[in-house]
Amino acid sequence: SQQGEEDPQALSIQEGENATMNCSYKTSINNLQWYRQNSGRGLVHLILIRSNEREKHSGRLRVTLDTSKKSSSLLITASRAADTASYFCATDVAGNQFYFGTGTSLTVIP
Amino acid sequence: DAGVIQSPRHEVTEMGQEVTLRCKPISGHNSLFWYRQTMMRGLELLIYFNNNVPIDDSGMPEDRFSAKMPNASFSTLKIQPSEPRDSAVYFCASSGGVRETQYFGPGTRLLVL
């Protein structure tokens, strides 16, 4: 499969703590995206990082990309109960569409 | 913009019946994607269109599934005949290009009895 694989599958933390989830992929990519899905809703785009970028920030989100290890991480700082959701990485293979991973289910306990 | 619109939001049908799911992409978007999500299999890409043309339908489970995009503002996913294992949430997404950010609709929750 060319899909990204998220790790861990599930994560439970206390409000205010940082949450880190990882994504590994198999083939060279152009871009990697992170999406969030609240229960019963569609996916919402969070951030895109290109293969020539190593780190990107958006508010409380920090994404890193290590193309040599074929991996990316999503860090959510100062987590809130509203961050409870599933998080997916999506990787593209050169010239093709994005493939979504299996997701990390994050629970933030108030 | 209203975002991606899907209808119906919920569908309950009996095995053997025809099911038609509908999607209106965001105006101006060139690419449209149909996904299926289940607990067991996660999010699966079924088919995607670029400029109304089907590009990759390798994810379509079998001949019972068909998708059309007659114009830039409308797409359908049809299941005929439906089976209980087709029960899932079906998402439509659109984007400005095949490798651009995808905007998802709210999904259609399908239950086949």
Side-chain angles (χ1 to χ4, degrees):
Chain A
S1 167
Q2 295 171 334
Q3 287 180 329
E5 296 287 337
E6 288 90 343
D7 171 61
Q9 287 190 330
L11 179 62
S12 183
I13 60 174
Q14 295 288 330
E15 197 167 32
E17 295 181 337
N18 296 341
T20 299
M21 51 205 87
N22 304 296
C23 169
S24 60
Y25 55 92
K26 295 180 180 179
T27 60
S28 296
I29 62 171
N30 291 322
N31 304 303
L32 184 146
Q33 301 187 37
W34 284 92
Y35 288 77
R36 182 186 73 206
Q37 183 180 32
N38 290 89
S39 179
R41 310 287 288 272
L43 280 71
V44 175
H45 178 256
L46 294 176
I47 198 164
L48 179 151
I49 186 166
R50 302 190 187 281
S51 59
N52 62 352
E53 298 176 312
R54 291 297 167 257
E55 188 170 311
K56 207 161 183 181
H57 296 255
S58 176
R60 293 183 297 110
L61 306 180
R62 183 172 78 99
V63 170
T64 62
L65 179 63
D66 187 335
T67 53
S68 66
K69 294 181 179 179
K70 293 186 171 58
S71 68
S72 173
S73 67
L74 170 66
L75 169 68
I76 304 174
T77 60
S79 64
R80 306 167 181 169
D83 295 329
T84 294
S86 291
Y87 292 82
F88 295 83
C89 69
T91 54
D92 73 328
V93 177
N96 210 334
Q97 80 283 4
F98 280 93
Y99 293 91
F100 285 83
T102 52
T104 291
S105 176
L106 172 66
T107 301
V108 181
I109 303 168
Chain B
D1 198 316
V4 176
I5 299 172
Q6 290 186 248
S7 65
R9 294 292 309 276
H10 302 273
E11 177 82 23
V12 180
T13 190
E14 292 186 345
M15 183 175 63
Q17 296 298 306
E18 177 179 294
V19 175
T20 299
L21 311 181
R22 298 173 176 80
C23 176
K24 177 179 169 56
I26 292 173
S27 177
H29 279 186
N30 299 325
S31 300
L32 184 140
F33 306 80
W34 282 101
Y35 292 89
R36 177 173 69 177
Q37 187 176 37
T38 62
M39 289 293 292
M40 292 296 295
R41 300 175 68 89
L43 191 66
E44 302 174 276
L45 176 65
L46 300 177
I47 185 172
Y48 77 95
F49 296 82
N50 197 40
N51 294 322
N52 311 339
V53 177
I55 303 300
D56 185 353
D57 64 355
S58 59
M60 296 284 262
E62 48 199 90
D63 292 345
R64 298 185 297 106
F65 285 68
S66 63
K68 294 182 179 180
M69 191 164 187
N71 56 62
S73 60
F74 184 65
S75 177
T76 59
L77 177 68
K78 187 174 293 187
I79 308 172
Q80 166 64 16
S82 58
E83 297 181 3
R85 60 190 168 125
D86 301 331
S87 297
V89 182
Y90 290 81
F91 289 103
C92 174
S94 71
S95 67
V98 172
R99 292 189 291 112
E100 300 299 318
T101 296
Q102 296 184 25
Y103 295 84
F104 281 73
T108 294
R109 190 173 296 274
L110 173 65
L111 177 61
V112 183
L113 302 174

